[in-house]
Amino acid sequence: MRKLILLATMALAAAVMPSALASAAPAPAQAISAQTASAAAPASVEAGPTAAQLLAKTNSCTQISNGKYKTDEDVSAKTVAVCDANGAVFWKADMDIDCDGQRTTQCNEDTDCCYQDDTAFHQSDGKPLSAAKLPYIVVPSSSSIWKYTSSQLKGGGSCAVIYNGKIEYAVIGDTGPTQIIGEASYATAKDLGINPDPSNGGTDSGVTYICFKNSTVSPIENHANAISKGESLATTFVNNN
């Protein structure tokens, strides 16, 4: 019965006001169409290159280090060279876990035998970095082998870390021994799918570190900024090498 009454009402309205209905119908349709088109239009998102694209630019090495580095304290072989490229330097090594900086559940004296409550570079508020939260890498302290500052690198500099097809955009956050290379924070390892435990984690090989010259992530602790800047610099690196 309600359907019959509704149909009768609609018929009467159509007979009385056909021109009004005809002219009114397209306007809502156009409005809806415009809203739908606006909502459907994807936002412009800038994305960096793939891991494969970055690795393809590191197949050959123009060595700038004066000799090579060890990957660990307990090995004698020096196998890792620092290589120069247009706009960046890179090296291929292992990954040891750095848990220094702010004391957290993951990083403290109990979890890491060699824990230190400071990092070479600090947050914008003056506090040490947090290895458990911030993806950062460790560069060797300056020595006769290589001075990272001579390659236009500095604390807070942007780096791409590649492992097993994944890319982590990190910052230069700490310095390490003068003879050893291949170390990154707990957070870096975790994001790349590497065991981040400072006592038994890390990986023995397969990690590529690409650090971009004259770059700075500000503030150093803002990982979203590190990703944005890293993607942009990585794109330039691929295009220029």
Side-chain angles (χ1 to χ4, degrees), residues 22-232:
S23 61
Q30 290 172 358
I32 291 173
S33 176
Q35 292 169 0
T36 303
S38 177
S44 177
V45 178
E46 181 180 355
T50 64
Q53 289 173 318
L54 284 170
L55 291 177
K57 303 299 181 177
T58 65
N59 286 333
S60 61
C61 175
T62 301
Q63 183 171 329
I64 56 172
S65 56
N66 183 26
K68 297 182 178 181
Y69 287 95
K70 300 191 299 181
T71 55
D72 292 291
E73 184 66 41
D74 57 356
V75 300
S76 57
K78 298 180 179 181
T79 59
V80 181
V82 177
C83 309
D84 194 30
N86 188 1
V89 299
F90 65 89
W91 57 93
K92 300 180 179 184
D94 64 342
M95 182 182 288
D96 297 324
I97 307 302
D98 187 310
C99 233
D100 294 339
Q102 294 184 36
R103 188 175 286 100
T104 61
T105 301
Q106 300 87 352
C107 296
N108 55 66
E109 295 88 347
D110 295 328
T111 62
D112 183 2
C113 67
C114 307
Y115 171 76
Q116 299 180 31
D117 62 359
D118 199 5
T119 49
F121 309 107
H122 291 171
Q123 296 180 165
S124 55
D125 61 4
K127 294 180 180 179
L129 304 181
S130 174
K133 297 178 181 179
L134 180 68
Y136 69 72
I137 74 157
V138 180
V139 292
S141 295
S142 296
S143 70
S144 58
I145 300 177
W146 177 55
K147 295 181 179 180
Y148 65 90
T149 54
S150 297
S151 295
Q152 293 79 56
L153 303 184
K154 57 185 175 181
S158 175
C159 302
V161 188
I162 306 160
Y163 176 76
N164 198 24
K166 296 181 180 180
I167 305 171
E168 174 71 295
Y169 290 104
V171 294
I172 296 175
D174 204 0
T175 56
T178 58
Q179 305 290 318
I180 300 173
I181 203 168
E183 188 175 6
S185 69
Y186 181 106
T188 305
K190 183 179 179 181
D191 287 354
L192 287 171
I194 297 171
N195 178 4
D197 192 317
S199 62
N200 58 26
T203 184
D204 291 335
S205 62
V207 184
T208 299
Y209 303 79
I210 304 173
C211 289
F212 305 109
K213 298 175 181 178
N214 297 309
S215 64
T216 304
V217 174
S218 181
I220 189 174
E221 67 271 18
N222 190 316
H223 185 46
N225 286 355
I227 294 173
S228 176
K229 180 172 285 288
E231 288 179 342
S232 176

